[in-house]
């Protein structure tokens, strides 16, 4: 059973996905700092750096955005030159370019931008200049993949690119055509605004958290979307009325006396998931530490002593930890490099099964993940695409006494 919850206050909006009562996805957005990923701007090239094959572009944010040469070339690999040109041949200072944010400003770095524009709808992603059709890997049946690809080829115009999302599975031609036409209209509006604007200027802003959640997360296999705010409730129903009318009746307004997250036990799960030390059901535990370059996770047996032998105890702990780690990466939206120090295993079959478990659980993640493999020191290396600041930054700030080290000087 899957249920989606949206909790709104004056300053913060939160969304949570529960699967069989277990929290698997969590998002939060402050009203004064909405997400920038997906926003489209008319930018002005400030610097071109051939040595870095990149340019810095003023899009109106405090820091100039970073544009790499690959994000200037044609999005279809077959349409790119065999030898990559210098960025100086493609851009010069003062040039105006329409760009889209693909990665938010993080730390001291500006936003990462691209000219490979993409506009997500409920069933498909519209790419005005990509000139290809793709189908989500999560749609596994070959006959359905072929059907959707055929429909997309019929619907798209010359030069357009389309990606069929997981939500497109089973949808009719009319539904896909309606979604596509809506996205085409958005792109026409962006193009018209860009033609008459002075750089830098914002041309398009993606949905806020509530509508993004309804668009990207709420699927036909979900029992309900429960909201505790009247305005968010109306917005969710209005979007579904246009995009997926058969799902509108599943949106419910929370009417219980107890607050939404406490009534459904979500608050306690969030509190547990964001601790440095996370206890496993068997009695083992994880220790999660964040550094500037990567996230490190240590697996320990804790109180779990097993019932057969040491190797089996270690294997069962690691197997349980693998599934929990994949869930926490998704839940905490941890991106970048992740290093996991599992308890040492001597059996190669056990090592393989631990990797299989973490990969199986990661297939549920909407963000691109990859298990790179075991290092020579027996650590498991994982990567997960990072587009926004880690959710930990919404709940915690660096201690002014220890500056984040966890230690203070003893005189």
């Amino acid at each position: 059973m899957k249920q989606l919850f949206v909790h709104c206050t004056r300053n913060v909006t939160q969304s949570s996905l529960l699967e069989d009562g277990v929290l698997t996805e969590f998002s939060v957005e402050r009203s004064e700092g909405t997400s920038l990923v997906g926003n489209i701007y008319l930018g002005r090239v400030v610097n071109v750096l051939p040595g870095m094959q990149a340019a810095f572009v003023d899009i109106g944010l405090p820091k100039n955005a970073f544009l790499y040469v690959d994000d200037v070339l044609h999005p279809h690999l077959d349409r790119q030159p065999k030898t990559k040109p210098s960025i100086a041949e493609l851009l010069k200072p003062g040039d105006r370019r329409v760009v889209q944010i693909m990665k938010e400003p993080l730390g001291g770095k500006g936003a990462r931008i691209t000219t490979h524009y993409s506009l997500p709808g409920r069933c498909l992603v519209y790419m005005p200049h990509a000139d290809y059709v793709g189908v989500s890997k999560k749609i596994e049946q070959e006959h359905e993949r072929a059907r959707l690809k055929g429909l997309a080829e019929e619907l798209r115009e010359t030069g357009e690119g389309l990606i069929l999302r997981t939500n497109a599975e089973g949808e009719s031609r009319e539904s896909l055509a309606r979604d596509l036409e809506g996205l085409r209209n958005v792109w026409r509006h962006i193009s018209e605004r860009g033609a008459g604007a002075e750089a830098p200027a914002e041309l398009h802003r993606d949905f806020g958290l509530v509508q993004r959640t309804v668009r990207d997360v709420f699927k036909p296999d979900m029992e309900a979307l429960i909201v505790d705010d009247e305005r968010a409730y109306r917005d969710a129903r209005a979007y579904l009325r246009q995009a997926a009318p058969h799902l509108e009746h599943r949106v419910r307004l929370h009417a219980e006396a107890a607050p939404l997250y406490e009534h459904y036990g979500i608050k306690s799960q969030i509190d547990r998931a964001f601790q440095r030390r996370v206890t496993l059901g068997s009695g083992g535990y994880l220790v999660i530490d964040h550094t500037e370059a990567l996230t490190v996770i240590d697996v320990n047996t804790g109180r779990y002593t097993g019932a057969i032998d040491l190797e089996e105890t270690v294997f069962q702990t690691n197997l349980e930890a693998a599934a929990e780690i994949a869930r926490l990466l998704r839940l905490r939206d941890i991106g970048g490099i992740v290093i996991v120090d599992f308890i040492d295993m001597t059996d190669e079959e056990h090592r393989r099964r631990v990797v299989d478990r973490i990969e199986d659980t990661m297939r549920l993640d909407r963000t691109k993940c990859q298990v790179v493999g075991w290092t020579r020191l027996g650590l498991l290396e994982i990567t997960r695409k990072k587009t926004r600041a880690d959710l930990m930054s919404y709940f915690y700030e660096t201690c002014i006494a220890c500056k984040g080290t966890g230690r203070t000087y003893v005189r």
Side-chain angles (χ1 to χ4, degrees), residues 219-231:
K219 299 178 181 179
D221 64 347
M222 294 185 181
E223 181 185 85
L225 167 60
I226 303 171
V227 186
D228 65 358
D229 178 78
E230 183 75 40
R231 180 176 178 180

Side-chain angles (χ1 to χ4, degrees), residues 25-65:
E25 281 192 31
F26 176 68
S27 299
V28 60
E29 196 168 272
R30 297 189 189 281
S31 56
E32 75 277 7
T34 55
S35 173
L36 299 176
V37 173
N39 290 0
I40 296 178
Y41 299 82
L42 177 63
R44 180 175 54 82
V45 178
V46 178
N47 293 321
V48 177
L49 306 175
M52 295 178 62
Q53 280 287 65
F56 286 96
V57 182
D58 179 10
I59 60 174
L61 298 181
K63 288 186 177 293
N64 290 334

Side-chain angles (χ1 to χ4, degrees), residues 138-184:
K138 294 184 179 180
I139 300 176
E140 298 178 349
Q141 296 182 357
E142 284 303 321
H143 67 86
E144 178 64 5
R145 295 177 63 85
R147 183 186 76 89
L148 290 172
K149 190 166 186 178
L151 287 175
E153 291 288 4
E154 290 176 20
L155 292 169
R156 79 183 182 105
E157 297 176 355
T158 303
E160 290 180 334
L162 300 176
I163 295 177
L164 283 303
R165 308 184 74 180
T166 311
N167 281 338
E169 189 169 12
E171 292 289 344
S172 66
R173 186 184 194 281
E174 292 70 25
S175 178
L176 298 178
R178 183 171 61 247
D179 205 16
L180 175 57
E181 190 54 36
L183 295 173
R184 278 184 181 142

Side-chain angles (χ1 to χ4, degrees), residues 183-202:
L183 295 173
R184 278 184 181 142
N185 288 334
V186 172
W187 179 248
R188 289 189 196 105
H189 180 66
I190 292 169
S191 300
E192 289 168 3
R193 289 193 65 185
E198 289 291 330
E202 182 181 278

